[in-house]
Amino acid sequence: MSQSDQESLANDQDDYLSNEELRQALELLFFAYRDFTGEPDVILANDGFGRAHHRVIYFVKCNPGITVNRLLGILKITKQSLSRVLGQLVREDFILQQTDPGDRRRRTLVLTDKGNALESRLTGCQSARIGRAYKAAGVDAVRGFKAVLTQIINADDRARFTGGGPHTD
Amino acid sequence: MSQSDQESLANDQDDYLSNEELRQALELLFFAYRDFTGEPDVILANDGFGRAHHRVIYFVKCNPGITVNRLLGILKITKQSLSRVLGQLVREDFILQQTDPGDRRRRTLVLTDKGNALESRLTGCQSARIGRAYKAAGVDAVRGFKAVLTQIINADDRARFTGGGPHTD
DNA sequence: CATATATGTCAACAACACTGACTTAATTTT
DNA sequence: AAAATTAAGTCAGTGTTGTTGACATATATG
């Protein structure tokens, strides 16, 4: 008996855990993420940027004064990958990078006015999409949406949402 | 008054539509999608494949006999991008491509046994992740999860989920 | 002073998307 | 039957985003 056959039998009792239900979830995530990122990608392309720039701008906005190392921890990419993108954003005056007075090895990052303006445009269209979806689905659905998404996230990053603040350690 | 200030005022009445709530949704989607795709990426790398191969294998599995054009419509990438990935999968015997007898311009795609085996492994770990999340969050949360994700998807693809069958036109 | 940490940089490489131009084969339309 | 359209494939070039590995510099900590 194959693994998937076993799963079918095991899940026959709970139809919300059936293979078909799970398969639908995979597709929902694929299409939702594709469309969720589609609009910002167009805006970014105008400035010669990509999705990676968006992520950096977003997390600097939410964590003003964040250091490069902490940003790497959130994004989980190599410093060489971040460096290319971050360097562009700093050179083109979207992000201000300053030496941390407390520990002069560290560089703190904040958005410039230019960076804030771009961040607003990017997050604006994503927020609008989510807002429309939230409104159409209703407040109870939103609770479920967040509960399931939180559980999908790996345990080590889940605390960022179940706990209190941003928690970027 | 800035755009975001206007939004704040407009949304102060519904706290589930506040800027902070929407911002949290953006992050949930980012982290959930990152971790959702993390495990399959490792498996794919063993075969020298990437996420694009996964998507092709997945949609061929769910739509056996699908044509190249319909696959392009689902993935929304260029035929040159698909060609590279699909060509590899056909050459390495994960996908069987045959001329459609009804319209000999068309090529129909199905997974080989080898392709089915890989698909099971890939979808298996994603299904397991979703299954755990569903079980932990509960059946009511799942209903909300699907309702919100469906609304996030662009209207033209939303019918794939609100309606009956796969509907890949 | 030695070691560890934070950051940056150079080089090479791979996956995956894009545009644009062109070809071949088969079907449909006129 | 000729013309137009559709389905699929190919070649060439480009850009974003990630990777590994090696190395450099400044600062902090032991």
Side-chain angles (χ1 to χ4, degrees), chain A residues 56-158:
Chain A
V56 170
I57 286 177
Y58 177 83
F59 285 109
V60 170
K61 167 75 176 191
C62 295
N63 304 273
I66 190 175
T67 64
V68 174
N69 234 9
R70 281 161 75 95
L71 191 51
L72 282 173
I74 293 177
L75 298 173
K76 285 190 184 158
I77 58 176
T78 58
K79 67 174 171 178
Q80 295 91 328
S81 289
L82 176 58
S83 178
R84 192 181 336 110
V85 172
L86 182 56
Q88 275 181 275
L89 290 168
V90 170
R91 277 193 303 277
E92 299 181 30
D93 199 36
F94 288 86
I95 285 179
L96 178 64
Q97 190 171 34
Q98 285 176 307
T99 299
D100 180 354
D103 184 339
R104 295 177 49 78
R105 291 172 302 182
R106 294 198 174 103
R107 307 284 181 271
T108 60
L109 306 170
V110 288
L111 293 189
T112 63
D113 290 350
K114 203 175 161 187
N116 266 304
L118 179 56
E119 199 278 337
S120 282
R121 284 208 296 152
L122 294 171
T123 297
C125 69
Q126 289 191 317
S127 288
R129 178 182 293 267
I130 303 294
R132 286 192 304 270
Y134 272 18
K135 209 165 181 179
V139 63
D140 287 339
V142 169
R143 201 170 14 251
F145 169 75
K146 294 198 289 188
V148 173
L149 274 189
T150 302
Q151 290 300 319
I152 290 174
I153 296 168
N154 284 345
D156 50 311
D157 269 325
R158 197 174 302 150

Side-chain angles (χ1 to χ4, degrees), chain B residues 76-144:
Chain B
K76 286 193 184 154
I77 57 175
T78 59
K79 67 175 171 179
Q80 294 92 327
S81 289
L82 176 58
S83 177
R84 189 185 344 107
V85 172
L86 182 56
Q88 275 180 275
L89 291 168
V90 170
R91 276 193 303 277
E92 299 181 31
D93 199 36
F94 288 85
I95 285 179
L96 179 63
Q97 189 172 33
Q98 285 175 308
T99 300
D100 180 355
D103 183 340
R104 293 176 49 77
R105 290 173 301 183
R106 294 198 173 102
R107 308 282 181 272
T108 61
L109 306 170
V110 289
L111 293 188
T112 63
D113 289 349
K114 203 174 161 187
N116 266 304
L118 179 55
E119 199 278 338
S120 282
R121 284 208 298 152
L122 294 170
T123 297
C125 69
Q126 289 191 318
S127 288
R129 177 181 292 267
I130 303 295
R132 285 193 304 271
Y134 273 17
K135 208 165 182 179
V139 64
D140 288 338
V142 169
R143 199 167 21 247

Side-chain angles (χ1 to χ4, degrees), chain B residues 57-85:
Chain B
I57 286 176
Y58 177 82
F59 284 109
V60 170
K61 166 75 177 192
C62 295
N63 304 273
I66 190 175
T67 64
V68 174
N69 236 9
R70 283 161 74 94
L71 192 51
L72 282 174
I74 293 177
L75 298 172
K76 286 193 184 154
I77 57 175
T78 59
K79 67 175 171 179
Q80 294 92 327
S81 289
L82 176 58
S83 177
R84 189 185 344 107
V85 172

